[in-house]
Amino acid sequence: RPGRFDRQIIVDIPDSEGREKILKVHAKNIKLSSKVDLKILAKGTPGMVGADLANLINEAALLAARKNRRSVTADDLEEAKDKVMMGTERRSMILSDKDRKITAVHEGGHALVGLLLPDADPVHKVSIIPRGRALGVTHMLPEADKYNYSKRYINAQLKVMMGGRVAEELIMGDITTGASNDIERATDMARRMVCEWGMSSLLGVTAFGSKSNEVFIGRDFGTTKNYSESTAQKIDEEVLNIVSKAYNSAKELLRDNLKTLQAIADALLEVESLDRAELEKVVADTGIEIPKK
């Protein structure tokens, strides 16, 4: 009832089985093709909540209607999933040839590092079609719901984030502002490794900063500093060290596979989007073996 602060009810995001049931509810009044398998679709939508899944079904129905189809096909659902997960395509945005090449190299760097690291999530699709504020997207999709994240997995994700900036440096011979969001997310993740998850070899298994949750008396959610200035300096140094290691590892990986990186960028410039099967074919044609996830 209102006014009670001693009871907390946590509504977590649905698992694969829950997502399948939600999809069935929203697809009840939609005519689906006999080849559509909502169970497979549910497995490919980790992290989505009810509103996202409802939006996905609605977008698929609109796509099918625009194409004068009598039923919603698996292709419509896949296209709708990309729209919900990665944003709406901005085909009207015209990029210069130089910007298209930079974007292709940048996204190719993310995709290749993701493919070559066995601990990273599988690459679902890579595209240089502008979506939302992004000029290109590399979408990585876990094969199953994750509830725990290992240090190896987090370090692999950091290397993937650094892959775009490294690719620009190696092929273009210069760097751009396109990696700003990657750098921001990588720095935040590295800081959480040090301050929250006890994954720092320098500072050990310790949490730094106590969270304040007293919103009911006018305070915002935040973190209270409970460590010394010397410790703060060590935290900053360790965050820099973690991100720098990820950057150097990604650089070594892409430098050793520069021919493959160039092939992915060329393919993106030609067709604009590559799904996992197409991406694997481009990589295989250069003689590189992709490790199993």
Side-chain angles (χ1 to χ4, degrees), residues 20-271:
E20 183 185 354
K21 291 177 180 178
I22 293 171
L23 285 169
K24 285 179 179 178
V25 169
H26 292 296
K28 185 168 61 174
N29 297 321
I30 303 292
K31 187 176 181 181
L32 299 177
S33 167
S34 58
K35 295 182 180 179
V36 170
D37 189 340
L38 292 180
K39 187 173 185 178
I40 293 175
L41 181 63
K43 287 183 178 179
T45 54
M48 281 195 178
V49 296
D52 297 321
L53 298 169
N55 191 19
L56 191 158
I57 294 293
N58 185 52
E59 288 289 346
L62 290 172
L63 288 168
R66 291 191 192 108
K67 296 172 184 176
N68 294 319
R69 288 179 173 152
R70 294 187 176 183
S71 61
V72 175
T73 66
D75 289 338
D76 294 324
L77 289 165
E78 186 66 23
E79 189 175 341
K81 184 176 77 172
D82 288 344
K83 185 176 181 181
V84 172
M85 284 186 159
M86 299 189 290
T88 306
E89 292 183 357
R90 290 193 295 163
R91 294 263 181 192
S92 59
M93 185 178 182
I94 300 174
L95 299 178
S96 66
D97 290 342
K98 184 178 181 180
D99 280 336
R100 287 184 78 248
K101 184 175 181 181
I102 291 171
T103 305
V105 168
H106 183 101
E107 299 304 331
H110 286 311
L112 184 55
V113 174
L115 282 174
L116 296 179
L117 291 176
D119 294 312
D121 284 330
V123 180
H124 172 63
K125 181 173 285 187
V126 57
S127 170
I128 59 169
I129 300 171
R131 293 176 181 267
R133 295 182 179 181
L135 300 181
V137 177
T138 300
H139 185 48
M140 305 180 73
L141 200 62
E143 294 179 337
D145 294 300
K146 286 182 181 288
Y147 300 100
N148 284 304
Y149 300 96
S150 68
K151 187 175 180 180
R152 285 184 179 179
Y153 171 81
I154 295 169
N155 279 322
Q157 295 303 103
L158 289 173
K159 292 171 189 176
V160 172
M161 291 176 195
M162 294 292 103
R165 166 58 69 88
V166 170
E168 289 180 21
E169 184 181 339
L170 291 176
I171 290 188
M172 305 303 297
D174 197 3
I175 54 177
T176 70
T177 58
S180 61
N181 183 247
D182 299 324
I183 295 169
E184 184 180 346
R185 290 189 300 126
T187 304
D188 180 63
M189 188 175 289
R191 189 167 292 277
R192 294 187 73 184
M193 289 176 73
V194 176
C195 296
E196 295 181 33
W197 301 330
M199 293 182 177
S200 166
S201 55
L202 176 65
L203 295 166
V205 189
T206 309
F208 298 99
S210 60
K211 293 183 179 179
S212 173
N213 300 330
E214 299 169 332
V215 290
F216 57 89
I217 58 173
R219 292 187 181 180
D220 293 328
F221 283 97
T223 303
T224 303
K225 184 177 176 181
N226 62 353
Y227 46 86
S228 66
E229 287 299 326
S230 62
T231 301
Q233 186 175 353
K234 290 179 182 177
I235 290 172
D236 291 340
E237 290 173 356
E238 184 68 346
V239 170
L240 177 61
N241 182 48
I242 290 171
V243 176
S244 297
K245 277 186 177 179
Y247 184 89
N248 292 330
S249 295
K251 192 170 188 177
E252 184 179 351
L253 194 62
L254 291 181
R255 188 187 284 123
D256 292 342
N257 297 280
L258 208 55
K259 179 183 174 184
T260 306
L261 174 60
Q262 186 65 64
I264 293 173
D266 291 342
L268 284 171
L269 287 170
E270 184 178 348
V271 299

